[in-house]
Amino acid sequence: GENVEQHPSTLSVQEGDSAVIKCTYSDSASNYFPWYKQELGKGPQLIIDIRSNVGEKKDQRIAVTLNKTAKHFSLHITETQPEDSAVYFCAASKSGGGADGLTFGKGTHLIIQP
Amino acid sequence: DSGVTQTPKHLITATGQRVTLRCSPRSGDLSVYWYQQSLDQGLQFLIQYYNGEERAKGNILERFSAQQFPDLHSELNLSSLELGDSALYFCASSAQGGAYEQYFGPGTRLTVT
């Protein structure tokens, strides 16, 4: 089955700096790659996603890039703010037949230092 | 607020018991997914239902089962509970199955003593 590796496990950046979280996946058939933000005591919140026919997607301060050949994708957060502090998860799935759950990475604890 | 609701928020029970977790998907969503989140295993996909039918299975134990009802709400049944079943259980929903946006509920925290 699919295996998703995520690095780093903890990332501490100064407020205003950029943060980058990287993930690799093993199954070349995977074609959907979402990112989730989870705050303490809450469920994962979808923040951005990318499909395999696209190399990059941006939404304000957040961007995701995908390299299908290398089977890795990354989350970029620019101009970080205190409210960006949370655990971020990458995930992968394949949509053949519309049936598949998400395989998640282990998560990155992002700490924004004031 | 994702629009997905889960009850109860917290559940404390003893080993060997059986519990039922409930999920209502976002209005209009046909697909429901169940996930387990624990410190050692992370977030793991358990099972998916689409419009009342089981669509995909992940790492779901035989002691666990689920169903989706005609009104599209879903229940996850956990039986013969063990200490290791203590975890957060999340439900997510999507408009369709597969590679579409999944929206997660707030979760049910299960503690087995």
Side-chain angles (χ1 to χ4, degrees):
Chain A
E2 175 67 277
N3 182 49
V4 176
E5 300 277 346
Q6 182 171 348
H7 300 279
S9 57
T10 304
L11 178 60
S12 181
V13 300
Q14 289 294 123
E15 183 179 347
D17 287 351
S18 295
V20 180
I21 302 170
K22 299 183 179 184
C23 289
T24 59
Y25 61 99
S26 61
D27 190 343
S28 55
S30 288
N31 57 4
Y32 175 63
F33 308 92
W35 286 87
Y36 286 84
K37 174 184 181 183
Q38 187 175 24
E39 295 173 331
L40 202 59
K42 296 187 176 181
Q45 175 196 357
L46 179 65
I47 56 172
I48 196 167
D49 58 10
I50 192 166
R51 288 176 171 77
S52 59
N53 58 347
V54 175
E56 184 174 358
K57 184 176 176 181
K58 250 183 150 175
D59 182 4
Q60 299 183 333
R61 297 185 298 108
I62 292 174
V64 57
T65 58
L66 171 65
N67 182 326
K68 281 190 299 182
T69 305
K71 289 192 278 190
H72 67 70
F73 56 114
S74 301
L75 177 72
H76 304 252
I77 306 174
T78 58
E79 300 170 17
T80 53
Q81 300 168 3
E83 54 266 34
D84 294 330
S85 292
V87 179
Y88 290 80
F89 292 94
C90 62
S93 80
K94 50 185 183 286
S95 64
D100 199 21
L102 297 170
T103 300
F104 283 88
K106 293 289 188 188
T108 295
H109 185 193
L110 177 62
I111 302 164
I112 308 300
Q113 304 277 7
Chain B
D1 185 357
S2 67
V4 178
T5 60
Q6 289 186 248
T7 57
K9 286 194 76 164
H10 301 278
L11 201 46
I12 302 173
T13 189
T15 54
Q17 295 298 304
R18 173 189 165 96
V19 297
T20 298
L21 313 184
R22 183 187 168 106
C23 166
S24 291
R26 295 186 319 158
S27 177
D29 282 359
L30 298 178
S31 206
V32 169
Y33 304 77
W34 286 97
Y35 292 85
Q36 180 193 61
Q37 185 175 37
S38 63
L39 278 173
D40 51 342
Q41 298 291 328
L43 260 168
Q44 287 207 306
F45 167 63
L46 297 178
I47 196 163
Q48 176 201 1
Y49 278 80
Y50 177 77
N51 204 20
E53 293 192 5
E54 182 184 305
R55 185 63 70 92
K57 256 183 172 175
N59 300 320
I60 189 165
L61 299 172
E62 282 192 16
R63 300 183 285 109
F64 296 180
S65 65
Q67 52 185 327
Q68 186 179 27
F69 295 87
D71 67 352
L72 300 177
H73 92 271
S74 177
E75 292 181 356
L76 179 67
N77 300 296
L78 314 176
S79 61
S80 302
L81 285 167
E82 302 174 359
L83 296 177
D85 298 327
S86 295
L88 273 166
Y89 291 85
F90 289 105
C91 166
S93 74
S94 69
Q96 304 179 51
Y100 291 91
E101 295 86 351
Q102 291 184 28
Y103 296 92
F104 281 70
T108 293
R109 181 174 291 281
L110 173 66
T111 303
V112 183
T113 61

